[in-house]
């Protein structure tokens, strides 16, 4: 196993099976963040993640963290909170504000560079990247964004400026996603937060098998149309 240097003139990736074991999943470096290369990466179970000043790094970890939409873990406290939620949730109403919010988050922002923001804006304009927004009155207080692959949604980042805002984004979206035919949500690497919400680890090989199947399936044509997903009780 060795780290592969990508060409800026060829968007092909090596097999994810060749990724390093340490650091887990590091597969390649270089290339660019063009829409064509990013889409090729997601189609093969690969994603970019790198710090400012570093070359572009591409990853495909083993195991892979995923969330089955119907198995979102709703704690008692979150269930009580959501029953009287002050938030409304929208889909694809403010992609730019969401990714900027994620970039500003002290935990997430170290890797969401200006180049990443521009690249995912391009994917959004092409209809592949999507955002979920959480609002309190007219203020954006949380959200998440990611990339769709058929009936699989690859979650990239989330942010929260108010109590349970990011959890609300994930809860409402996962429920809608499951109800409309969504099969799987990619969380990339398991952490304490995603594990508490019901995410689990599966092997990279199994993840790619699910990815290949989900890419052959489609959600309803109107699923990603900008709309309201949740309104608080009056």
């Amino acid at each position: 196993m060795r780290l592969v240097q990508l060409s800026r003139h060829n968007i092909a990736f090596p097999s994810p099976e060749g990724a390093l074991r340490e650091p887990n999943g590091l597969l390649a470096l270089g290339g660019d963040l063009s829409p064509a290369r990013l889409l090729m990466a997601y189609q093969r179970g690969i994603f970019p993640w790198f710090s400012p000043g570093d070359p572009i790094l591409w990853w495909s970890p083993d195991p892979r963290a995923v969330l089955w939409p119907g198995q979102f873990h709703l704690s008692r406290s979150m269930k009580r909170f959501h029953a009287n939620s002050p938030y409304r949730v929208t889909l694809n109403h403010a992609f730019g504000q969401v990714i900027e919010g994620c970039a500003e988050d002290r935990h997430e922002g170290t890797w969401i560079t200006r180049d990443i923001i521009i690249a995912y804006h391009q994917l959004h304009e092409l209809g592949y990247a999507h955002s979920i927004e959480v609002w309190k009155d007219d203020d954006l207080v949380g959200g998440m964004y990611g990339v769709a692959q058929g009936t699989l949604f690859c979650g990239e980042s989330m942010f929260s400026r108010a109590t349970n805002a990011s959890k609300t984004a994930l809860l409402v979206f996962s429920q809608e996603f499951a109800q409309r035919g969504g099969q799987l949500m990619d969380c990339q690497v398991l952490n304490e937060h995603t594990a508490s919400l019901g995410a689990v680890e599966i092997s990279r090989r199994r993840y790619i098998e699910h990815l290949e199947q989900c890419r052959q399936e489609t959600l309803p044509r109107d699923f990603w149309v900008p709309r309201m997903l949740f309104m608080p009780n009056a």
Side-chain angles (χ1 to χ4, degrees), residues 10 30 40 68 79 83 112 124 155 159 175 183 187 201 223:
N10 186 336
M40 176 65 72
W68 307 101
K79 187 174 182 178
I112 303 177
H124 175 65
F159 78 101
Q175 290 177 336
Q183 298 296 313
C187 302
E201 291 183 325
F223 184 84

Side-chain angles (χ1 to χ4, degrees), residues 90-112:
T90 58
L91 175 70
N92 280 333
H93 275 228
F95 184 89
Q97 289 178 257
V98 168
I99 195 169
E100 292 283 356
C102 292
E104 293 167 3
D105 186 279
R106 63 182 180 179
H107 299 296
E108 300 284 358
T110 55
W111 70 275
I112 303 177

Side-chain angles (χ1 to χ4, degrees), residues 5-14 30-32 34 36-37 40:
Q5 172 74 55
L6 299 181
S7 166
R8 293 184 63 88
H9 308 293
N10 186 336
I11 65 171
F13 283 91
D32 58 26
S34 66
R37 191 186 299 273
M40 176 65 72

Side-chain angles (χ1 to χ4, degrees), residues 33-152:
L33 294 171
S34 66
R37 191 186 299 273
L38 280 171
L39 290 174
M40 176 65 72
Y42 281 99
Q43 290 166 10
R44 303 203 65 188
I46 301 163
F47 59 88
W49 182 61
F50 56 99
S51 299
D54 288 344
I56 301 171
L57 301 177
W58 302 90
W59 304 77
S60 184
D62 187 16
R64 189 79 167 227
V66 299
L67 177 63
W68 307 101
Q71 297 182 13
F72 183 95
H73 175 66
L74 188 60
S75 67
R76 290 181 181 178
S77 60
M78 184 62 192
K79 187 174 182 178
R80 288 193 300 269
F81 179 89
H82 191 59
N84 300 285
S85 176
Y87 306 140
R88 59 186 173 91
V89 182
T90 58
L91 175 70
N92 280 333
H93 275 228
F95 184 89
Q97 289 178 257
V98 168
I99 195 169
E100 292 283 356
C102 292
E104 293 167 3
D105 186 279
R106 63 182 180 179
H107 299 296
E108 300 284 358
T110 55
W111 70 275
I112 303 177
T113 64
R114 183 54 47 184
D115 288 342
I116 285 284
I117 291 173
I118 292 170
Y120 282 84
H121 261 294
Q122 292 175 326
L123 284 190
H124 175 65
E125 291 169 358
L126 292 170
Y128 294 102
H130 306 282
S131 61
I132 299 89
E133 303 90 16
V134 180
W135 307 87
K136 186 173 184 181
D137 300 322
D138 293 326
D139 295 325
L140 183 68
V141 295
M144 58 181 283
Y145 76 95
V147 177
Q149 291 289 296
T151 56
L152 187 151

Side-chain angles (χ1 to χ4, degrees), residues 178-200:
Q179 291 170 3
R180 301 290 296 279
Q183 298 296 313
L184 188 62
M185 296 175 65
D186 172 29
C187 302
Q188 298 179 348
V189 178
L190 194 67
N191 58 41
E192 184 177 349
H193 178 63
T194 55
S196 72
L197 300 176
V200 297

Side-chain angles (χ1 to χ4, degrees), residues 22 29 42 65 86 89 150 154 176 181 197 207:
E22 184 59 42
L29 77 160
Y42 281 99
V89 182
C154 303
E176 179 76 4
L197 300 176
Y207 171 76

